[in-house]
């Protein structure tokens, strides 16, 4: 994952955040306004993982898939071999301040936004169609705590992290569809939540 943060008027800081050991992105890039920022992504999976997806997430908003439908004068994506690819943001400016990251599979998450009253519950759904992937992982991100791993559902078995056991519920099947339910929401639950598909290493 790549976070683009505004440091001051003429410089941008691009920081890499990786969520798994088999997908690699750069840690830090310094980019001046008007220059191009190229983010490289590689993986150590087999050659059947020949597709790469690029996402963008603005602060406080949901992720959006941008490699499929993007302005070609602003963005460009290259993938000449199955193991690696790159994504370039041209003419960097303030509006490009966001989190960028690559993925080896397409995961659909909905709804894009939720507004809830205190003590209500919130449900977020996640679906994927990746063969042999049997886990759906859930993450929480906010400005104060950064990224937090909430837990996962393996096949039909939920496995929440200790800090989230009393707060959330995982349901569904990690092989295709799952959901995250947040019980009795409060101000502390205001964040961006996202899911990822993964597989069991034997």
């Amino acid at each position: 994952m790549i976070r683009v943060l505004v440091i001051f008027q003429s410089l941008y800081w691009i920081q890499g955040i990786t969520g798994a050991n088999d997908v690699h992105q750069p840690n830090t890039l310094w980019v001046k306004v008007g220059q191009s920022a190229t983010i490289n992504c590689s993986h150590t999976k087999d050659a059947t993982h020949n597709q790469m997806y690029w996402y963008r997430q603005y602060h406080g908003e949901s992720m959006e898939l941008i490699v499929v439908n993007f302005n070609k004068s602003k963005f460009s994506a290259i993938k000449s071999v199955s193991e690696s690819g790159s994504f370039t943001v041209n003419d960097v400016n303030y509006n490009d301040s966001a989190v960028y990251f690559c993925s080896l599979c397409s995961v659909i998450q909905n709804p894009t936004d939720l507004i809830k009253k205190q003590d209500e519950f919130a449900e977020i759904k996640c679906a994927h169609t990746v063969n042999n992937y049997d886990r759906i992982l859930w993450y929480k991100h906010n400005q104060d705590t950064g990224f937090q791993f909430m837990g996962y559902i393996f096949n039909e078995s939920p496995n929440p992290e200790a800090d989230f056991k009393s707060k959330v519920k995982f349901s569904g099947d990690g092989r295709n569809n799952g959901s995250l339910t947040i019980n009795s929401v409060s101000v502390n639950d205001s964040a961006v939540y996202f899911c990822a598909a993964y597989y069991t290493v034997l």
Side-chain angles (χ1 to χ4, degrees):
M1 302 175 190
I2 300 295
R3 172 175 291 171
V4 182
L5 297 175
V6 179
I7 299 302
F8 51 87
Q9 189 172 5
S10 62
L11 287 178
Y12 292 81
W13 179 32
I14 302 179
Q15 178 182 0
I17 307 171
T18 55
N21 292 331
D22 45 18
V23 179
H24 307 281
Q25 296 182 204
N27 289 326
T28 305
L29 288 173
W30 287 94
V31 183
K32 292 183 179 180
V33 172
Q35 290 185 340
S36 296
T38 297
I39 304 163
N40 296 308
C41 180
S42 62
H43 67 87
T44 56
K45 293 182 178 294
D46 57 51
T48 61
H49 294 79
N50 56 8
Q51 292 182 312
M52 188 169 287
Y53 302 85
W54 290 93
Y55 294 83
R56 176 177 63 190
Q57 179 183 351
Y58 287 114
H59 176 68
E61 298 184 13
S62 300
M63 296 182 296
E64 59 177 333
L65 180 64
I66 55 176
V67 77
V68 173
N69 184 18
F70 60 87
N71 183 340
K72 292 184 178 180
S73 64
K74 183 65 178 177
F75 305 113
S76 61
I78 298 174
K79 193 171 190 298
S80 56
V81 295
S82 62
E83 295 83 5
S84 63
S86 65
F87 180 78
T88 299
V89 182
N90 298 308
D91 191 20
V92 170
N93 59 52
Y94 178 80
N95 293 327
D96 298 317
S97 183
V99 176
Y100 296 84
F101 61 96
C102 68
S103 171
L104 301 184
C105 63
S106 182
V107 177
I108 300 172
Q109 185 175 316
N110 62 81
T112 56
D113 298 284
L114 274 176
I115 299 176
K116 291 290 182 178
K117 295 180 180 179
Q118 186 164 324
D119 295 327
E120 290 184 339
F121 75 90
E123 183 180 31
I124 305 169
K125 296 182 178 180
C126 178
H128 72 87
T129 57
V130 187
N131 292 333
N132 301 320
Y133 275 40
D134 51 19
R135 299 184 184 216
I136 292 177
L137 290 67
W138 288 97
Y139 296 85
K140 176 182 179 180
H141 177 265
N142 63 35
Q143 189 173 11
D144 296 327
T145 60
F147 285 90
Q148 292 178 283
F149 177 56
M150 304 176 69
Y152 63 93
I153 183 167
F154 166 57
N155 291 338
E156 297 180 357
S157 300
N159 295 272
E161 291 289 284
D163 291 344
F164 292 95
K165 276 188 175 180
S166 62
K167 188 64 180 179
V168 304
K169 175 185 176 182
F170 302 142
S171 57
D173 191 327
R175 291 167 290 193
N176 43 58
N177 294 279
S179 65
L180 162 68
T181 301
I182 305 169
N183 302 310
S184 187
V185 298
S186 67
V187 174
N188 293 331
D189 298 314
S190 294
V192 178
Y193 296 84
F194 64 95
C195 63
Y198 202 62
Y199 65 100
T200 300
V201 179
L202 300 177

